[in-house]
Amino acid sequence: MVTWRMRGRWLEALLLAVALLPLFLGTALLAVTWERALGDARFWPAYAVATAVGVVHLALVIGGHRGDEVVLPAVACLAGIGIVLVTRLVPDAALRQSAWLALGAIAALVVACGPWDTRRLERFKYAVLVAGIGLVAVTLVAGRDLNGSGDRLWLGLFGYVFQPSELLKVLLVVFLAGYLSEKREVILVAPARVGGLPVPPLAYLVPVVAMWGGCLVVLVVQRDLGSALLFYGTFLAMLYVAIGRVHYVLASLAVFGMAAVACYFLFAHVRLRVEVWLDPWIDPQGRSYQIVQAMYSMASGGLAGRGLANGYPLYVPAAHTDYPFVAFAEEAGLVGSLALLLMYAILVVAGLGVALRARDPYRQLLATGVVALIGFQVVTIIGGNVRLMPLTGVTLPFVSYGGSSMLASWLMVGLLLRASHEEAVAAARA
Amino acid sequence: MTALAGTEAMILALRVGFAASLYLFVAVAIIALRQSLATASPVVRIAPARLLLVRAGSVGDEAGRAVTLAGPSVTIGRSPTNDIVVRDDGVSARHARLESHGDRWVLADVGSRNGTRLNGRAVNGPAPLSHGDEIGLGELLWRFEIATATGAKR
């Protein structure tokens, strides 16, 4: 049995050293396969990512951070694999990706170590809600369609484009944690009876109806199936953790299920997604081209994969944003892609550990929400990639190419680290 | 020829090393997680609190009786099956319940004949309790006290 008793930031340093091995070995493999020197400019983004993660760790040490030790290494390992994959798929975009990662890492660091308190977020939860609604409204009015899909999901700002739904996820978790931790006593205990019928408390009905309606707006007006699923799933997970009553959660799930079925019949774009999922062969050269190519791509990977930079994952359109898991599966095989899944599992378990240790209801729900969001997102996108469920346009956290997603994911990591730090400080004081 | 074979061998070694490094991280992370989760015992937290009888009825206990709330759920009533048994004609067999939710206690009436009052007002739904709240059942008046409270709310 392992008897080492490493703790705190030293444990994080050790884990981080191991976590960055795939980044360096992957880069070396690319260098040998492409017959380029390790110092080639093409690989600088990968080294930049390693540096950024190292800087975050050092800053946590200097800042006297006492939060969880596994979260950062898990994220570092995923980000390392991500930058190797982006370098391999779209070498010209890797620099931009590493810049977004550095920005995200700084944001996470500010959240994790800054002179503030999560209680402030708890207090200003309605301001957070208003900000989120404002963001949706602005996107509805001024949203831009970047990928020609007809969905206006992007916002332009100072020459940069941003996907507001990514930031919205973070705001939603922050708000729901505050709302549910405040109202959970009121939601609980026997429902009031009106005319003999049990009526669930208003504190339960209002958010359920609001979330349901909000997700429908996102789904119907913005046609963003993935985000709608993600928002509602995260809401249900947090509701369950807050009140622990299965039937409330099942009821909320049922109304959402009915709405989803209605959408299938009412909206052509939802129907199309489901149809090409059930039978990709109806139009393999057209509407389901991407799905069919992805199936071939993953199949050619087999058990051990074709080796990085040795397969043909680029036959899948938009592999670096929509199908990163398939690209990784083709080149690293079942062996590699299972390891990737395990790493997300490690991140989720580490986050749940933070929630378990938390003694404060708000921080507990915050950690739970962050973990639920990341977990659902991974399941949604990988499930879509491997055709377990219809493909939706969400990103694979820390791996997919995309700045908004990278920034939002790091912000959530920052919140997780912050919550666990405050818990550790509070526990030491008690 | 040999140079090519050398490159092939190098690629193979790096591929094996890449896959191995993924699992090496998974392994050490699981060991670390196991360690940190072992320290995270998911205990049911019950805020230390008690009820103090401040006004007694004509029969039964005298004022000054204190009952420590050993949650997660504490029932009050005349029936001996309750956690807190009281003798007052205005109290139902099963009268009220106190539940611990995290660091708070919540009071609810469980269908009593004469109702439960919190600070003089009838309790309809679940009502969160604060330090010093007065709970009325029949003729009895209890004061809810949080053991660690210093009077001021956190």
Side-chain angles (χ1 to χ4, degrees), chain A residues 20-39 43 46-47 84 87 308-309, chain B residues 7 10-11 13-15 18:
Chain A
L20 288 176
L21 278 179
L23 184 151
F24 289 116
L25 287 171
T27 305
L29 184 51
L30 286 182
V32 173
T33 312
W34 282 338
E35 294 174 344
R36 281 169 185 262
L38 272 171
F43 303 124
Y47 303 143
V84 167
T87 304
L308 276 176
Chain B
T7 311
M10 180 92 114
I11 288 179
L14 281 172
R15 282 184 57 186
F18 180 73

PDB file of all heavy atoms in Angstrom, chain A residues 20-39 43 46-47 84 87 308-309, chain B residues 7 10-11 13-15 18:
ATOM      1  N   LEU A  20       1.901  16.761 -16.824  1.00  0.00           N
ATOM      2  CA  LEU A  20       2.408  17.415 -18.027  1.00  0.00           C
ATOM      3  C   LEU A  20       3.198  16.464 -18.924  1.00  0.00           C
ATOM      4  O   LEU A  20       3.593  16.834 -20.025  1.00  0.00           O
ATOM      5  CB  LEU A  20       3.260  18.632 -17.646  1.00  0.00           C
ATOM      6  CG  LEU A  20       2.428  19.812 -17.110  1.00  0.00           C
ATOM      7  CD1 LEU A  20       3.315  20.942 -16.664  1.00  0.00           C
ATOM      8  CD2 LEU A  20       1.428  20.303 -18.163  1.00  0.00           C
ATOM      9  N   LEU A  21       3.415  15.223 -18.462  1.00  0.00           N
ATOM     10  CA  LEU A  21       4.133  14.246 -19.304  1.00  0.00           C
ATOM     11  C   LEU A  21       3.454  14.036 -20.655  1.00  0.00           C
ATOM     12  O   LEU A  21       4.134  14.052 -21.685  1.00  0.00           O
ATOM     13  CB  LEU A  21       4.254  12.906 -18.557  1.00  0.00           C
ATOM     14  CG  LEU A  21       5.378  12.788 -17.540  1.00  0.00           C
ATOM     15  CD1 LEU A  21       5.346  11.412 -16.877  1.00  0.00           C
ATOM     16  CD2 LEU A  21       6.727  13.009 -18.201  1.00  0.00           C
ATOM     17  N   PRO A  22       2.117  13.824 -20.698  1.00  0.00           N
ATOM     18  CA  PRO A  22       1.493  13.624 -22.015  1.00  0.00           C
ATOM     19  C   PRO A  22       1.720  14.795 -22.949  1.00  0.00           C
ATOM     20  O   PRO A  22       1.916  14.598 -24.153  1.00  0.00           O
ATOM     21  CB  PRO A  22       0.000  13.482 -21.671  1.00  0.00           C
ATOM     22  CG  PRO A  22      -0.028  12.996 -20.280  1.00  0.00           C
ATOM     23  CD  PRO A  22       1.146  13.629 -19.604  1.00  0.00           C
ATOM     24  N   LEU A  23       1.745  16.017 -22.399  1.00  0.00           N
ATOM     25  CA  LEU A  23       1.987  17.184 -23.246  1.00  0.00           C
ATOM     26  C   LEU A  23       3.361  17.088 -23.902  1.00  0.00           C
ATOM     27  O   LEU A  23       3.494  17.235 -25.116  1.00  0.00           O
ATOM     28  CB  LEU A  23       1.879  18.461 -22.399  1.00  0.00           C
ATOM     29  CG  LEU A  23       2.014  19.817 -23.124  1.00  0.00           C
ATOM     30  CD1 LEU A  23       1.208  20.868 -22.386  1.00  0.00           C
ATOM     31  CD2 LEU A  23       3.453  20.284 -23.216  1.00  0.00           C
ATOM     32  N   PHE A  24       4.387  16.782 -23.090  1.00  0.00           N
ATOM     33  CA  PHE A  24       5.745  16.766 -23.647  1.00  0.00           C
ATOM     34  C   PHE A  24       5.963  15.559 -24.553  1.00  0.00           C
ATOM     35  O   PHE A  24       6.552  15.676 -25.627  1.00  0.00           O
ATOM     36  CB  PHE A  24       6.774  16.787 -22.509  1.00  0.00           C
ATOM     37  CG  PHE A  24       6.829  18.122 -21.813  1.00  0.00           C
ATOM     38  CD1 PHE A  24       6.478  18.255 -20.481  1.00  0.00           C
ATOM     39  CD2 PHE A  24       7.216  19.261 -22.513  1.00  0.00           C
ATOM     40  CE1 PHE A  24       6.508  19.488 -19.848  1.00  0.00           C
ATOM     41  CE2 PHE A  24       7.249  20.497 -21.889  1.00  0.00           C
ATOM     42  CZ  PHE A  24       6.896  20.611 -20.560  1.00  0.00           C
ATOM     43  N   LEU A  25       5.471  14.392 -24.150  1.00  0.00           N
ATOM     44  CA  LEU A  25       5.638  13.201 -24.987  1.00  0.00           C
ATOM     45  C   LEU A  25       4.851  13.350 -26.286  1.00  0.00           C
ATOM     46  O   LEU A  25       5.330  12.959 -27.355  1.00  0.00           O
ATOM     47  CB  LEU A  25       5.197  11.955 -24.216  1.00  0.00           C
ATOM     48  CG  LEU A  25       6.164  11.533 -23.104  1.00  0.00           C
ATOM     49  CD1 LEU A  25       5.555  10.432 -22.239  1.00  0.00           C
ATOM     50  CD2 LEU A  25       7.481  11.059 -23.704  1.00  0.00           C
ATOM     51  N   GLY A  26       3.641  13.922 -26.194  1.00  0.00           N
ATOM     52  CA  GLY A  26       2.840  14.140 -27.388  1.00  0.00           C
ATOM     53  C   GLY A  26       3.532  15.105 -28.342  1.00  0.00           C
ATOM     54  O   GLY A  26       3.575  14.881 -29.555  1.00  0.00           O
ATOM     55  N   THR A  27       4.088  16.170 -27.779  1.00  0.00           N
ATOM     56  CA  THR A  27       4.818  17.127 -28.610  1.00  0.00           C
ATOM     57  C   THR A  27       6.022  16.465 -29.277  1.00  0.00           C
ATOM     58  O   THR A  27       6.279  16.664 -30.466  1.00  0.00           O
ATOM     59  CB  THR A  27       5.287  18.318 -27.747  1.00  0.00           C
ATOM     60  OG1 THR A  27       4.145  18.870 -27.088  1.00  0.00           O
ATOM     61  CG2 THR A  27       5.934  19.377 -28.587  1.00  0.00           C
ATOM     62  N   ALA A  28       6.752  15.657 -28.496  1.00  0.00           N
ATOM     63  CA  ALA A  28       7.920  14.960 -29.052  1.00  0.00           C
ATOM     64  C   ALA A  28       7.491  14.032 -30.187  1.00  0.00           C
ATOM     65  O   ALA A  28       8.159  13.952 -31.233  1.00  0.00           O
ATOM     66  CB  ALA A  28       8.621  14.167 -27.945  1.00  0.00           C
ATOM     67  N   LEU A  29       6.360  13.359 -29.990  1.00  0.00           N
ATOM     68  CA  LEU A  29       5.864  12.445 -31.012  1.00  0.00           C
ATOM     69  C   LEU A  29       5.522  13.202 -32.293  1.00  0.00           C
ATOM     70  O   LEU A  29       5.873  12.765 -33.402  1.00  0.00           O
ATOM     71  CB  LEU A  29       4.628  11.716 -30.458  1.00  0.00           C
ATOM     72  CG  LEU A  29       3.978  10.635 -31.309  1.00  0.00           C
ATOM     73  CD1 LEU A  29       5.003   9.628 -31.792  1.00  0.00           C
ATOM     74  CD2 LEU A  29       2.902   9.929 -30.506  1.00  0.00           C
ATOM     75  N   LEU A  30       4.867  14.361 -32.133  1.00  0.00           N
ATOM     76  CA  LEU A  30       4.556  15.197 -33.298  1.00  0.00           C
ATOM     77  C   LEU A  30       5.847  15.630 -33.995  1.00  0.00           C
ATOM     78  O   LEU A  30       5.954  15.593 -35.221  1.00  0.00           O
ATOM     79  CB  LEU A  30       3.763  16.437 -32.869  1.00  0.00           C
ATOM     80  CG  LEU A  30       2.301  16.240 -32.497  1.00  0.00           C
ATOM     81  CD1 LEU A  30       1.664  17.577 -32.144  1.00  0.00           C
ATOM     82  CD2 LEU A  30       1.535  15.597 -33.643  1.00  0.00           C
ATOM     83  N   ALA A  31       6.846  16.025 -33.183  1.00  0.00           N
ATOM     84  CA  ALA A  31       8.105  16.521 -33.744  1.00  0.00           C
ATOM     85  C   ALA A  31       8.789  15.435 -34.574  1.00  0.00           C
ATOM     86  O   ALA A  31       9.252  15.689 -35.689  1.00  0.00           O
ATOM     87  CB  ALA A  31       9.023  17.004 -32.621  1.00  0.00           C
ATOM     88  N   VAL A  32       8.830  14.214 -34.041  1.00  0.00           N
ATOM     89  CA  VAL A  32       9.500  13.124 -34.763  1.00  0.00           C
ATOM     90  C   VAL A  32       8.722  12.785 -36.033  1.00  0.00           C
ATOM     91  O   VAL A  32       9.298  12.617 -37.116  1.00  0.00           O
ATOM     92  CB  VAL A  32       9.644  11.888 -33.852  1.00  0.00           C
ATOM     93  CG1 VAL A  32      10.176  10.712 -34.632  1.00  0.00           C
ATOM     94  CG2 VAL A  32      10.555  12.209 -32.683  1.00  0.00           C
ATOM     95  N   THR A  33       7.375  12.710 -35.899  1.00  0.00           N
ATOM     96  CA  THR A  33       6.565  12.331 -37.053  1.00  0.00           C
ATOM     97  C   THR A  33       6.633  13.378 -38.149  1.00  0.00           C
ATOM     98  O   THR A  33       6.717  13.060 -39.338  1.00  0.00           O
ATOM     99  CB  THR A  33       5.100  12.123 -36.619  1.00  0.00           C
ATOM    100  OG1 THR A  33       5.089  11.296 -35.473  1.00  0.00           O
ATOM    101  CG2 THR A  33       4.297  11.472 -37.718  1.00  0.00           C
ATOM    102  N   TRP A  34       6.617  14.628 -37.764  1.00  0.00           N
ATOM    103  CA  TRP A  34       6.664  15.710 -38.753  1.00  0.00           C
ATOM    104  C   TRP A  34       8.091  16.056 -39.169  1.00  0.00           C
ATOM    105  O   TRP A  34       8.288  16.952 -39.988  1.00  0.00           O
ATOM    106  CB  TRP A  34       5.996  16.966 -38.170  1.00  0.00           C
ATOM    107  CG  TRP A  34       4.513  16.928 -38.186  1.00  0.00           C
ATOM    108  CD1 TRP A  34       3.724  16.161 -38.992  1.00  0.00           C
ATOM    109  CD2 TRP A  34       3.619  17.716 -37.383  1.00  0.00           C
ATOM    110  NE1 TRP A  34       2.404  16.403 -38.729  1.00  0.00           N
ATOM    111  CE2 TRP A  34       2.300  17.360 -37.745  1.00  0.00           C
ATOM    112  CE3 TRP A  34       3.790  18.676 -36.397  1.00  0.00           C
ATOM    113  CZ2 TRP A  34       1.169  17.923 -37.163  1.00  0.00           C
ATOM    114  CZ3 TRP A  34       2.677  19.244 -35.820  1.00  0.00           C
ATOM    115  CH2 TRP A  34       1.370  18.877 -36.186  1.00  0.00           C
ATOM    116  N   GLU A  35       9.071  15.401 -38.546  1.00  0.00           N
ATOM    117  CA  GLU A  35      10.492  15.661 -38.802  1.00  0.00           C
ATOM    118  C   GLU A  35      10.827  17.133 -38.603  1.00  0.00           C
ATOM    119  O   GLU A  35      11.429  17.790 -39.448  1.00  0.00           O
ATOM    120  CB  GLU A  35      10.871  15.197 -40.218  1.00  0.00           C
ATOM    121  CG  GLU A  35      10.761  13.689 -40.345  1.00  0.00           C
ATOM    122  CD  GLU A  35      10.978  13.192 -41.762  1.00  0.00           C
ATOM    123  OE1 GLU A  35      10.918  14.011 -42.686  1.00  0.00           O
ATOM    124  OE2 GLU A  35      11.213  11.992 -41.927  1.00  0.00           O
ATOM    125  N   ARG A  36      10.376  17.643 -37.470  1.00  0.00           N
ATOM    126  CA  ARG A  36      10.701  19.017 -37.100  1.00  0.00           C
ATOM    127  C   ARG A  36      11.475  18.997 -35.792  1.00  0.00           C
ATOM    128  O   ARG A  36      11.369  18.033 -35.032  1.00  0.00           O
ATOM    129  CB  ARG A  36       9.426  19.835 -36.885  1.00  0.00           C
ATOM    130  CG  ARG A  36       8.789  20.298 -38.155  1.00  0.00           C
ATOM    131  CD  ARG A  36       7.415  20.844 -37.873  1.00  0.00           C
ATOM    132  NE  ARG A  36       6.754  21.181 -39.120  1.00  0.00           N
ATOM    133  CZ  ARG A  36       6.713  22.422 -39.615  1.00  0.00           C
ATOM    134  NH1 ARG A  36       7.254  23.417 -38.957  1.00  0.00           N
ATOM    135  NH2 ARG A  36       6.099  22.652 -40.750  1.00  0.00           N
ATOM    136  N   ALA A  37      12.220  20.066 -35.546  1.00  0.00           N
ATOM    137  CA  ALA A  37      12.959  20.146 -34.283  1.00  0.00           C
ATOM    138  C   ALA A  37      11.979  20.445 -33.138  1.00  0.00           C
ATOM    139  O   ALA A  37      10.919  21.024 -33.359  1.00  0.00           O
ATOM    140  CB  ALA A  37      14.008  21.246 -34.368  1.00  0.00           C
ATOM    141  N   LEU A  38      12.369  20.045 -31.943  1.00  0.00           N
ATOM    142  CA  LEU A  38      11.506  20.307 -30.784  1.00  0.00           C
ATOM    143  C   LEU A  38      11.345  21.798 -30.527  1.00  0.00           C
ATOM    144  O   LEU A  38      10.374  22.232 -29.937  1.00  0.00           O
ATOM    145  CB  LEU A  38      12.091  19.640 -29.542  1.00  0.00           C
ATOM    146  CG  LEU A  38      11.665  18.189 -29.301  1.00  0.00           C
ATOM    147  CD1 LEU A  38      12.476  17.579 -28.169  1.00  0.00           C
ATOM    148  CD2 LEU A  38      10.184  18.102 -28.976  1.00  0.00           C
ATOM    149  N   GLY A  39      12.331  22.571 -30.974  1.00  0.00           N
ATOM    150  CA  GLY A  39      12.279  24.011 -30.751  1.00  0.00           C
ATOM    151  C   GLY A  39      11.500  24.758 -31.820  1.00  0.00           C
ATOM    152  O   GLY A  39      11.414  25.983 -31.796  1.00  0.00           O
ATOM    153  N   PHE A  43       5.690  24.329 -32.027  1.00  0.00           N
ATOM    154  CA  PHE A  43       5.456  23.704 -30.723  1.00  0.00           C
ATOM    155  C   PHE A  43       5.471  24.699 -29.567  1.00  0.00           C
ATOM    156  O   PHE A  43       5.282  24.307 -28.424  1.00  0.00           O
ATOM    157  CB  PHE A  43       6.484  22.587 -30.477  1.00  0.00           C
ATOM    158  CG  PHE A  43       6.454  21.546 -31.557  1.00  0.00           C
ATOM    159  CD1 PHE A  43       7.599  21.224 -32.275  1.00  0.00           C
ATOM    160  CD2 PHE A  43       5.271  20.895 -31.868  1.00  0.00           C
ATOM    161  CE1 PHE A  43       7.559  20.288 -33.276  1.00  0.00           C
ATOM    162  CE2 PHE A  43       5.227  19.948 -32.874  1.00  0.00           C
ATOM    163  CZ  PHE A  43       6.375  19.649 -33.582  1.00  0.00           C
ATOM    164  N   ALA A  46       2.424  24.722 -27.182  1.00  0.00           N
ATOM    165  CA  ALA A  46       2.395  23.652 -26.182  1.00  0.00           C
ATOM    166  C   ALA A  46       3.256  24.030 -24.975  1.00  0.00           C
ATOM    167  O   ALA A  46       2.848  23.861 -23.820  1.00  0.00           O
ATOM    168  CB  ALA A  46       2.878  22.351 -26.800  1.00  0.00           C
ATOM    169  N   TYR A  47       4.453  24.571 -25.252  1.00  0.00           N
ATOM    170  CA  TYR A  47       5.325  24.956 -24.142  1.00  0.00           C
ATOM    171  C   TYR A  47       4.696  26.103 -23.355  1.00  0.00           C
ATOM    172  O   TYR A  47       4.834  26.193 -22.134  1.00  0.00           O
ATOM    173  CB  TYR A  47       6.713  25.353 -24.660  1.00  0.00           C
ATOM    174  CG  TYR A  47       7.373  24.266 -25.473  1.00  0.00           C
ATOM    175  CD1 TYR A  47       8.144  24.558 -26.587  1.00  0.00           C
ATOM    176  CD2 TYR A  47       7.191  22.920 -25.133  1.00  0.00           C
ATOM    177  CE1 TYR A  47       8.730  23.561 -27.342  1.00  0.00           C
ATOM    178  CE2 TYR A  47       7.767  21.916 -25.886  1.00  0.00           C
ATOM    179  CZ  TYR A  47       8.533  22.241 -26.993  1.00  0.00           C
ATOM    180  OH  TYR A  47       9.084  21.244 -27.729  1.00  0.00           O
ATOM    181  N   VAL A  84      -1.904  19.702 -27.605  1.00  0.00           N
ATOM    182  CA  VAL A  84      -1.243  18.788 -28.543  1.00  0.00           C
ATOM    183  C   VAL A  84      -2.193  18.460 -29.695  1.00  0.00           C
ATOM    184  O   VAL A  84      -1.816  18.458 -30.869  1.00  0.00           O
ATOM    185  CB  VAL A  84      -0.789  17.492 -27.824  1.00  0.00           C
ATOM    186  CG1 VAL A  84      -0.391  16.425 -28.831  1.00  0.00           C
ATOM    187  CG2 VAL A  84       0.368  17.788 -26.890  1.00  0.00           C
ATOM    188  N   THR A  87      -2.607  21.528 -31.918  1.00  0.00           N
ATOM    189  CA  THR A  87      -1.394  21.688 -32.705  1.00  0.00           C
ATOM    190  C   THR A  87      -1.381  20.693 -33.863  1.00  0.00           C
ATOM    191  O   THR A  87      -0.997  21.016 -34.983  1.00  0.00           O
ATOM    192  CB  THR A  87      -0.149  21.454 -31.826  1.00  0.00           C
ATOM    193  OG1 THR A  87      -0.211  22.333 -30.720  1.00  0.00           O
ATOM    194  CG2 THR A  87       1.119  21.704 -32.596  1.00  0.00           C
ATOM    195  N   LEU A 308      -0.236   9.753 -33.212  1.00  0.00           N
ATOM    196  CA  LEU A 308      -0.467  11.181 -33.442  1.00  0.00           C
ATOM    197  C   LEU A 308       0.144  11.595 -34.778  1.00  0.00           C
ATOM    198  O   LEU A 308       1.251  11.182 -35.123  1.00  0.00           O
ATOM    199  CB  LEU A 308       0.149  12.006 -32.312  1.00  0.00           C
ATOM    200  CG  LEU A 308      -0.704  12.178 -31.052  1.00  0.00           C
ATOM    201  CD1 LEU A 308       0.070  12.933 -29.995  1.00  0.00           C
ATOM    202  CD2 LEU A 308      -1.992  12.905 -31.375  1.00  0.00           C
ATOM    203  N   ALA A 309      -0.605  12.401 -35.520  1.00  0.00           N
ATOM    204  CA  ALA A 309      -0.181  12.921 -36.819  1.00  0.00           C
ATOM    205  C   ALA A 309      -0.011  11.818 -37.840  1.00  0.00           C
ATOM    206  O   ALA A 309       0.659  11.982 -38.837  1.00  0.00           O
ATOM    207  CB  ALA A 309       1.112  13.737 -36.694  1.00  0.00           C
TER     208      ALA A 309
ATOM    209  N   THR B   7      13.825   6.005 -36.825  1.00  0.00           N
ATOM    210  CA  THR B   7      12.673   6.894 -36.651  1.00  0.00           C
ATOM    211  C   THR B   7      11.440   6.108 -36.267  1.00  0.00           C
ATOM    212  O   THR B   7      10.686   6.491 -35.379  1.00  0.00           O
ATOM    213  CB  THR B   7      12.419   7.662 -37.962  1.00  0.00           C
ATOM    214  OG1 THR B   7      13.634   8.223 -38.404  1.00  0.00           O
ATOM    215  CG2 THR B   7      11.390   8.741 -37.755  1.00  0.00           C
ATOM    216  N   MET B  10      11.641   5.096 -32.730  1.00  0.00           N
ATOM    217  CA  MET B  10      11.430   6.276 -31.884  1.00  0.00           C
ATOM    218  C   MET B  10       9.946   6.601 -31.777  1.00  0.00           C
ATOM    219  O   MET B  10       9.423   6.859 -30.683  1.00  0.00           O
ATOM    220  CB  MET B  10      12.172   7.469 -32.532  1.00  0.00           C
ATOM    221  CG  MET B  10      12.033   8.732 -31.754  1.00  0.00           C
ATOM    222  SD  MET B  10      13.366   8.904 -30.593  1.00  0.00           S
ATOM    223  CE  MET B  10      14.183  10.334 -31.273  1.00  0.00           C
ATOM    224  N   ILE B  11       9.259   6.563 -32.925  1.00  0.00           N
ATOM    225  CA  ILE B  11       7.818   6.852 -32.933  1.00  0.00           C
ATOM    226  C   ILE B  11       7.083   5.836 -32.073  1.00  0.00           C
ATOM    227  O   ILE B  11       6.224   6.196 -31.259  1.00  0.00           O
ATOM    228  CB  ILE B  11       7.277   6.865 -34.384  1.00  0.00           C
ATOM    229  CG1 ILE B  11       7.771   8.110 -35.099  1.00  0.00           C
ATOM    230  CG2 ILE B  11       5.751   6.804 -34.393  1.00  0.00           C
ATOM    231  CD1 ILE B  11       7.323   8.231 -36.529  1.00  0.00           C
ATOM    232  N   ALA B  13       8.260   4.059 -29.611  1.00  0.00           N
ATOM    233  CA  ALA B  13       8.573   4.287 -28.192  1.00  0.00           C
ATOM    234  C   ALA B  13       7.783   5.468 -27.654  1.00  0.00           C
ATOM    235  O   ALA B  13       7.220   5.417 -26.550  1.00  0.00           O
ATOM    236  CB  ALA B  13      10.073   4.541 -28.035  1.00  0.00           C
ATOM    237  N   LEU B  14       7.700   6.528 -28.442  1.00  0.00           N
ATOM    238  CA  LEU B  14       6.972   7.714 -27.987  1.00  0.00           C
ATOM    239  C   LEU B  14       5.477   7.432 -27.873  1.00  0.00           C
ATOM    240  O   LEU B  14       4.809   7.922 -26.953  1.00  0.00           O
ATOM    241  CB  LEU B  14       7.223   8.883 -28.944  1.00  0.00           C
ATOM    242  CG  LEU B  14       8.563   9.590 -28.755  1.00  0.00           C
ATOM    243  CD1 LEU B  14       8.808  10.591 -29.861  1.00  0.00           C
ATOM    244  CD2 LEU B  14       8.597  10.302 -27.395  1.00  0.00           C
ATOM    245  N   ARG B  15       4.947   6.636 -28.805  1.00  0.00           N
ATOM    246  CA  ARG B  15       3.519   6.312 -28.728  1.00  0.00           C
ATOM    247  C   ARG B  15       3.213   5.524 -27.462  1.00  0.00           C
ATOM    248  O   ARG B  15       2.227   5.790 -26.773  1.00  0.00           O
ATOM    249  CB  ARG B  15       3.088   5.510 -29.957  1.00  0.00           C
ATOM    250  CG  ARG B  15       2.887   6.361 -31.177  1.00  0.00           C
ATOM    251  CD  ARG B  15       2.374   5.550 -32.328  1.00  0.00           C
ATOM    252  NE  ARG B  15       1.118   4.859 -32.009  1.00  0.00           N
ATOM    253  CZ  ARG B  15       0.531   3.989 -32.821  1.00  0.00           C
ATOM    254  NH1 ARG B  15       1.085   3.704 -33.977  1.00  0.00           N
ATOM    255  NH2 ARG B  15      -0.606   3.418 -32.471  1.00  0.00           N
ATOM    256  N   PHE B  18       3.545   7.882 -24.568  1.00  0.00           N
ATOM    257  CA  PHE B  18       2.402   8.793 -24.484  1.00  0.00           C
ATOM    258  C   PHE B  18       1.228   8.104 -23.794  1.00  0.00           C
ATOM    259  O   PHE B  18       0.664   8.623 -22.826  1.00  0.00           O
ATOM    260  CB  PHE B  18       2.020   9.257 -25.892  1.00  0.00           C
ATOM    261  CG  PHE B  18       0.857  10.206 -25.921  1.00  0.00           C
ATOM    262  CD1 PHE B  18       0.989  11.513 -25.485  1.00  0.00           C
ATOM    263  CD2 PHE B  18      -0.383   9.787 -26.402  1.00  0.00           C
ATOM    264  CE1 PHE B  18      -0.076  12.389 -25.513  1.00  0.00           C
ATOM    265  CE2 PHE B  18      -1.462  10.657 -26.436  1.00  0.00           C
ATOM    266  CZ  PHE B  18      -1.316  11.958 -25.990  1.00  0.00           C
TER     267      PHE B  18
END
